[in-house]
Amino acid sequence: MSPRFGSHRARRVAVAGLLIAAVAFGTSAWVWQAGTQRESQTSEQADREHPIVTAPRIATQGGRAVVRLDPTALQRAGIRTEKLRRAAQPETIRAFATVADLQPLAQLSASTQAAAAQLAIAQAKLAASRAEYERAKRLFDDQQNVSAAQFQASQAAFAADQAALTAAQAQVDANRASVRLDWGVALADALFASDPQQRALVENLLARRELLLQVVLPGELADARAPSQGQVVLDGRTGPPIRLVSPAARADPRLAGRSFFYRTWPDPALLPGATIAVQLQTGRHVETASVPPSALVWWQGRAWIFVRNESGDFERREVPADRAADSSVLLADLASGTEIVVQGAQVLLSEELRAENFSTDVGGR
């Protein structure tokens, strides 16, 4: 065998060995990858069937649920507390009001102006016919310097103008009565006033520089004098102030209680017919603690706060939303020194509500 032939054979053997090694390595890699994928799929399926559940930080004290957090969790959640102080606070009450539709008042105002114009015309005609009648009467009595027909014509014109004046005055009186019956004495007097300052009340309403609210007082003020001022309460913000105008001429059929008219400034949320809440100042003061707005959380349509007890746990308590020092601070009958959460109350509420579904989640596992 020649050396050249031996060298060529050796190279073929080496190439074959490399091909066999490459196939073996590829097969091993595919088997390893397939096993890894099956293991990953099995793990993901197990995770779906058995999710990782973190136990909520809820305990029970005296039959009530409390939230229990360690110092690290408190710091991470940004929980901050303050101690309340009791002091004399101005008392207000919450009532419901309806934004009045002033279109009927505008129509009455236009009718009143037309009637007043007709009255002025009738008065002018009567003054002229009276003078003509008196002149004709003197001439007729003075040797009949005017004919009987002319005298009788002037007398008839004078009588007709008297009747027209009476009719015009009756129309003005009817309009005044309508305004009194529908809108009360104060608005009627303002509508028929000659003093510009007194008329400004109605003019501002008709020009929508001011709005009219019909407020129904709650039962606790049934025998009391109507508060002179208050505040509109809108969703998430404080509304414009309100001022007493007069008792309303008609009751609100949807609500029981005495009704009063209040005027306020325009606001995009105050559309005719809208029902809103207002807070009225009673003029009294009550000894109580004020709760800052940041401490409030709302759930199921009610206001709540979290109080920290002696054990350091947090307990949720309801705050009556019908008492307020102003539109942004509610009152609570809490003892002085009570420690409440003023920052992070929503975190505590979420932690408490999460516990309601915890047992179901674990049972499903």
Side-chain angles (χ1 to χ4, degrees):
M1 180 182 299
S2 65
R4 182 177 179 182
F5 179 77
S7 175
H8 179 68
R9 183 178 181 182
R11 283 198 301 270
R12 285 191 300 174
V13 172
V15 171
L18 289 176
L19 289 177
I20 294 173
V23 172
F25 177 79
T27 303
S28 301
W30 178 83
V31 172
W32 175 83
Q33 183 177 7
T36 303
Q37 289 180 348
R38 285 195 300 270
E39 182 179 355
S40 176
Q41 292 174 356
T42 303
S43 177
E44 290 177 359
Q45 183 178 3
D47 289 342
R48 289 194 299 267
E49 294 177 353
H50 305 288
I52 299 175
V53 181
T54 303
R57 305 175 181 91
I58 300 298
T60 302
Q61 290 183 358
R64 296 182 178 181
V66 295
V67 182
R68 180 171 297 168
L69 300 178
D70 55 36
T72 302
L74 285 176
Q75 183 177 5
R76 185 170 58 251
I79 305 296
R80 187 169 62 87
T81 62
E82 288 183 2
K83 292 184 178 181
L84 294 178
R85 295 181 180 179
R86 293 181 64 87
Q89 303 284 348
E91 182 190 42
T92 66
I93 59 172
R94 180 163 295 195
F96 290 100
T98 302
V99 181
D101 182 5
L102 297 179
Q103 183 62 33
L105 181 61
Q107 294 174 349
L108 282 174
S109 176
S111 177
T112 298
Q113 292 178 1
Q118 292 298 322
L119 179 61
I121 294 173
Q123 290 172 339
K125 286 185 175 181
L126 180 62
S129 63
R130 183 194 299 275
E132 179 64 24
Y133 165 71
E134 291 176 351
R135 187 182 69 83
K137 187 176 185 303
R138 286 194 302 269
L139 293 175
F140 183 78
D141 293 341
D142 185 15
Q143 300 178 358
Q144 296 185 350
N145 290 328
V146 67
S147 66
Q150 290 176 328
F151 171 67
Q152 291 173 355
S154 63
Q155 188 179 26
F158 175 57
D161 289 342
Q162 281 183 317
L165 178 63
T166 301
Q169 185 63 57
Q171 183 61 46
V172 171
D173 294 341
N175 287 345
R176 184 189 295 269
S178 296
V179 177
R180 285 176 176 266
L181 290 174
D182 293 340
W183 301 95
V185 177
L187 291 176
D189 292 345
L191 182 61
F192 287 89
S194 57
D195 183 7
Q197 293 184 349
Q198 190 175 358
R199 280 188 55 84
L201 171 62
V202 172
E203 291 177 351
N204 288 337
L205 291 175
L206 296 180
R208 289 193 62 82
R209 290 188 290 267
E210 290 185 327
L211 303 178
L212 193 67
L213 306 179
Q214 182 170 348
V215 179
V216 180
L217 299 185
E220 56 193 287
L221 289 182
D223 300 326
R225 185 177 179 180
S228 60
Q229 57 186 351
Q231 195 89 23
V232 174
V233 180
L234 300 175
D235 292 338
R237 61 185 177 92
T238 301
I242 63 176
R243 290 169 292 172
L244 177 65
V245 175
S246 67
R250 295 182 179 181
D252 190 332
R254 299 171 300 174
L255 301 172
R258 295 187 302 156
S259 294
F260 289 84
F261 284 137
Y262 286 78
R263 55 179 174 166
T264 187
W265 298 334
D267 187 277
L270 301 180
L271 300 177
T275 300
I276 59 172
V278 298
Q279 287 178 340
L280 302 172
Q281 299 180 4
T282 64
R284 301 188 296 262
H285 285 74
V286 290
E287 186 77 15
T288 185
S290 62
V291 176
S294 61
L296 298 174
V297 289
W298 293 86
W299 183 57
Q300 295 183 340
R302 292 180 290 179
W304 305 83
I305 60 174
F306 278 90
V307 177
R308 193 171 194 178
N309 57 26
E310 298 178 354
S311 303
D313 300 327
F314 299 94
E315 177 185 340
R316 177 165 53 89
R317 296 186 187 179
E318 184 177 0
V319 176
D322 58 343
R323 297 284 180 178
D326 54 44
S327 59
S328 60
V329 180
L330 298 179
L331 302 181
D333 295 330
L334 299 173
S336 181
T338 301
E339 191 174 1
I340 67 169
V341 176
V342 296
Q343 179 178 312
Q346 188 63 49
V347 176
L348 297 177
L349 178 63
S350 300
E351 190 71 22
E352 181 180 346
L353 297 181
R354 189 170 69 90
E356 297 181 358
N357 299 324
F358 176 70
S359 58
T360 303
D361 293 340
V362 175
R365 179 172 180 174

